[in-house]
Amino acid sequence: MADTTKNNPTGPRHIAFIMDGNGRWAKERGLPREHGHRFGVKAFRAVLDHCATLDIDAVTFYAFSTENWKRPKREVNAILRLMDSYLAECEKKIDDYAFRIVFLGDKAPFEGARRTRMERLEAHTRTRRRILNIALNYGGRDELVHACNLLLASGKNTVTAADIEGALYTKDSPPLDLIVRTGGDLRISNFLLWQAAYAELYFTDILWPDFGPAEVDAAIAEFHQRKRRFGGV
Ligand code: FPP
């Protein structure tokens, strides 16, 4: 993966993607939903590679939510297996990998080889500057509850916004600038609830497997048209 080429001087510094529409993409082709996720990984790779050529400090992907466990077991297993193969591949080329990998979410349900690999990837890439956040068993509400519990356990009984920020899974990422959601739905779906406070939102009807570098550029171009006031005038 190429390293940064400083060709994104006005931001966004941190983009997050809600990769929606894999199931519908497969259905339109008469394929099982799992195939949609397989092509979803292809799109993920293309988008990540493209982001690596831009001067972006952090990129976040919503891969599996705390609610996604409700899906049929076969689909859940298919998504986790896709994740396993991607992570195994990352591990093989870990020295060339451009990003620090951070998993957002509670790792408790992951055990054995999967858990070890997740922790190894985080540890081995810890000193890289740019961040790839993979939200896996992630929910925005769950993240806030987890942060509150961390702060209580540390002995605090009043907290500041900075304390909360420092207890989020995204504590090492720069502020979130842009959320891109594919698949046509106009909602946040429990993603980065705290971090979204002043992020720009970009929705497209394109289904995730059809999303790619040209659409990333379109979202960034739209971002540059927005007037960000952060509550000011
Ligand atoms: C939403 O589409 C997609 C997901 C819940 C899973 C996304 C996961 C991947 C693309 C694979 C993750 C793996 C890596 C390596 C990042 P949907 O199934 O809800 O689509 P629908 O709305 O059309 O049903």
Side-chain angles (χ1 to χ4, degrees):
M1 192 177 298
D3 203 351
T4 176
T5 53
K6 302 272 178 217
N7 58 0
N8 180 25
T10 51
R13 318 296 322 161
H14 181 179
I15 309 183
F17 295 93
I18 302 179
M19 307 183 279
D20 197 18
N22 295 344
R24 277 165 287 163
W25 186 92
K27 193 168 172 215
E28 279 174 5
R29 287 160 180 78
L31 297 168
R33 293 178 58 82
E34 295 78 47
H35 284 248
H37 297 310
R38 198 150 58 77
F39 282 87
V41 175
K42 276 190 158 187
F44 158 79
R45 286 169 185 280
V47 168
L48 180 61
D49 283 352
H50 185 58
C51 287
T53 69
L54 304 173
D55 186 20
I56 289 172
D57 294 326
V59 56
T60 300
F61 292 88
Y62 204 3
F64 194 83
S65 76
T66 42
E67 288 70 37
N68 285 154
W69 296 105
K70 293 185 222 155
R71 294 186 176 212
K73 204 168 173 10
R74 173 185 154 140
E75 182 173 345
V76 168
N77 287 339
I79 295 174
L80 294 179
R81 271 200 306 272
L82 286 168
M83 182 59 68
D84 286 341
S85 0
Y86 180 71
L87 298 181
E89 205 185 294
C90 287
E91 213 171 12
K92 273 198 206 136
K93 51 180 190 192
I94 194 68
D95 290 333
D96 300 326
Y97 203 74
F99 290 94
R100 169 177 178 184
I101 299 180
V102 177
F103 293 98
L104 310 183
D106 182 5
K107 291 193 188 73
F110 305 119
E111 33 187 48
R114 183 175 288 145
R115 172 73 173 258
T116 309
R117 179 170 283 138
M118 289 166 74
E119 289 172 349
R120 239 178 2 226
L121 283 167
E122 285 186 324
H124 285 199
T125 58
R126 196 168 293 281
T127 55
R128 314 230 163 124
R129 186 183 68 81
R130 294 194 296 161
I131 294 180
L132 162 63
N133 292 309
I134 301 180
L136 197 60
N137 189 33
Y138 173 87
R141 289 179 174 179
D142 191 61
E143 178 178 38
L144 287 165
V145 170
H146 175 258
C148 291
N149 284 322
L150 277 183
L151 294 167
L152 288 171
S154 75
K156 286 194 184 287
N157 41 39
T158 59
V159 295
T160 63
D163 290 330
I164 294 176
E165 299 242 13
L168 296 176
Y169 293 122
T170 53
K171 63 180 170 8
D172 296 321
S173 292
L176 181 60
D177 294 310
L178 175 63
I179 295 181
V180 173
R181 180 175 187 141
T182 62
D185 284 329
L186 307 180
R187 55 176 170 261
I188 290 287
S189 298
N190 201 16
F191 190 44
L192 302 176
L193 297 180
W194 175 281
Q195 299 85 339
Y198 285 103
E200 295 298 320
L201 306 180
Y202 179 90
F203 298 99
T204 169
D205 288 338
I206 296 173
L207 303 176
W208 177 256
D210 291 329
F211 192 83
E215 287 76 28
V216 174
D217 290 346
I220 292 176
E222 162 80 23
F223 173 86
H224 288 144
Q225 299 305 311
R226 305 274 177 94
K227 298 269 176 292
R228 302 185 80 197
R229 290 185 294 276
F230 299 95
V233 288

